[in-house]
Amino acid sequence: MAVEASDDACKVARNTANTGNVTFEVTNKGTKVTEFYLYAEGDRILGEVENIGPGLTRRLIVEVTEAGRLQTACKPGMKGDGIRGEFTVSGDGKKSTDTNAKLAEATKSYQRYVNSQLETHRAGDGFKLYTELTEDEVKALAAAVDALGEPISKVAEVVSQ
């Protein structure tokens, strides 16, 4: 929906929308750089687009997942509370994507990748999991790490002074 921002007005083409993706095309008709915001209750920012110079148009797409009363705001000069207007969203509040399902699938995919890399490197010479090391091998690695730690701690000591 079109938004016409000026130095003293914020004209939003409609003051209602349905839940889901809401698109604002914000055109700055003023002389000052402006911003446009969509606020939920308590001035919680749902979406914003900044640095809209005079004569420019910027697009803001906000996924609104809950019905309710919101506010739009244009901020000429990018200062203050802005020029606000009421904005009402109605609908069933479904998200356009199920982020939990996508996260679960991404996690499974990454686990498959890690396991494939582990098997590839495990087939190579000298690679062992920590749990496969003998006590003597663990002690040797610990000594090597300690030997590296001493020079590092000296550098840290000098830097902190």
Side-chain angles (χ1 to χ4, degrees):
M1 77 185 65
V3 177
E4 189 177 292
S6 66
D7 295 343
D8 57 4
C10 186
K11 298 177 186 173
V12 181
R14 295 190 327 264
N15 64 355
T16 62
N18 291 322
T19 55
N21 287 338
V22 180
T23 303
F24 298 94
E25 295 283 341
V26 185
T27 301
N28 185 352
K29 302 272 184 165
T31 60
K32 301 175 183 174
V33 175
T34 194
E35 301 173 331
F36 179 79
Y37 290 81
L38 183 63
Y39 289 108
E41 188 176 329
D43 282 353
R44 183 171 56 93
I45 298 171
L46 296 179
E48 66 181 295
V49 62
E50 299 175 320
N51 298 318
I52 309 168
L56 297 179
T57 299
R58 301 264 319 265
R59 176 179 291 155
L60 172 64
I61 302 172
V62 182
E63 184 178 27
V64 182
T65 59
E66 297 177 10
R69 293 179 53 165
L70 308 176
Q71 285 189 330
T72 59
C74 295
K75 290 189 179 181
M78 302 188 305
K79 296 178 184 174
D81 290 334
I83 303 165
R84 298 199 179 207
E86 296 297 317
F87 193 83
T88 303
V89 176
S90 58
D92 59 11
K94 291 182 182 175
K95 286 190 172 188
S96 63
T97 59
D98 183 350
T99 53
N100 288 336
K102 286 187 174 272
L103 179 61
E105 179 52 37
T107 301
K108 287 179 188 175
S109 177
Y110 186 68
Q111 184 64 47
R112 286 190 299 270
Y113 167 76
V114 169
N115 287 338
S116 73
Q117 293 300 304
L118 181 61
E119 290 306 314
T120 299
H121 292 294
R122 213 171 178 187
D125 292 332
F127 180 84
K128 289 185 181 178
L129 292 175
Y130 178 77
T131 55
E132 298 172 331
L133 296 174
T134 66
E135 187 175 337
D136 289 339
E137 289 171 319
V138 170
K139 287 179 182 177
L141 283 173
V145 169
D146 287 343
L148 289 174
E150 183 61 28
I152 291 171
S153 66
K154 286 182 182 178
V155 169
E157 193 176 297
V158 169
V159 169
S160 67
Q161 295 174 354

